[in-house]
Amino acid sequence: MERTFIIVKPDGVQRNLVGEIVGRFEAKGFTLVGLKMVKVSRELAEKHYDVHKERPFFGSLVEFIISAPVVAMAWEGNGVVAAARKIIGATNPLTAEPGTIRGDYGIDIGRNLVHGSDAIETAQRELALWFGSEELVSWEQTVKPWLYE
Ligand code: DAT
Ligand code: MG
């Protein structure tokens, strides 16, 4: 089953939106298979955002993600990678649709609350970077017949 990697960024934790953000994915029906609070090291931040290292905002992005704790999560379900990106909304919260996390709670592109993997291969890379295999829990959600035909 497909998995994706989600982070509640420092602004989401500081603004007490962890429950709200976790709740969006829970309510959709996806299965939580990993969850931990992390004070991110500079090394991990730079690896996570490696794809952006030539961008002008790379420095501020790294400083931001290490500035306060984050909540890292793994979610499982059919089509979860693309669906989670829709739940999160567009990168810039000002143009993100209302009803998305960023559209409902953010203003600034540098304070956009959530990270979500952008493709299945990215999710695999990010999950391996952030979680040990023993930290990811495979379990059978008993409600599954009521979510999947
Ligand atoms: P996303 O988080 O929607 O996948 P991304 O991968 O393009 O967006 O960029 C990673 C993060 O970098 C993004 O969440 C916020 C920041 N960022 C992106 N574009 C930016 C820009 N033009 N100016 C400042 N920060 C930016
Ligand atoms: Mg991205």
Side-chain angles (χ1 to χ4, degrees):
M1 181 81 82
E2 191 173 309
R3 288 179 172 178
T4 196
F5 177 63
I6 302 292
I7 307 172
V8 182
K9 294 183 183 181
D11 50 339
V13 176
Q14 291 282 359
R15 292 177 55 198
N16 288 341
L17 290 171
V18 174
E20 173 60 36
I21 291 167
V22 172
R24 299 280 178 120
F25 299 99
E26 276 197 307
K28 177 73 171 170
F30 291 129
T31 305
L32 185 62
V33 293
L35 177 83
K36 62 179 176 182
M37 195 168 205
V38 185
K39 184 74 172 70
V40 184
S41 68
R42 185 175 296 275
E43 187 191 2
L44 176 59
E46 287 177 352
K47 278 188 190 153
H48 175 75
Y49 282 127
D50 185 64
V51 62
H52 297 303
K53 66 174 178 290
E54 307 302 337
R55 311 280 284 275
F57 55 83
F58 178 72
S60 57
L61 193 55
V62 168
E63 292 303 328
F64 174 57
I65 203 82
I66 69 175
S67 66
V70 304
V71 172
M73 296 177 276
W75 288 91
E76 186 177 86
N78 281 0
V80 68
V81 173
R85 295 279 295 185
K86 287 198 166 186
I87 290 168
I88 292 166
T91 305
N92 185 343
L94 268 191
T95 53
E97 292 292 330
T100 65
I101 296 167
R102 288 167 172 169
D104 285 350
Y105 297 111
I107 300 168
D108 200 300
I109 196 167
R111 299 287 183 272
N112 65 4
L113 298 147
V114 197
H115 165 82
S117 307
D118 61 10
I120 290 174
E121 310 75 63
T122 315
Q124 288 166 350
R125 182 185 90 82
E126 292 175 348
L127 286 168
L129 181 63
W130 285 77
F131 285 101
S133 54
E134 75 290 348
E135 292 179 305
L136 295 175
V137 180
S138 293
W139 60 292
E140 203 52 37
Q141 212 170 353
T142 54
V143 77
K144 224 168 189 174
W146 304 104
L147 287 162
Y148 295 94
E149 191 177 0

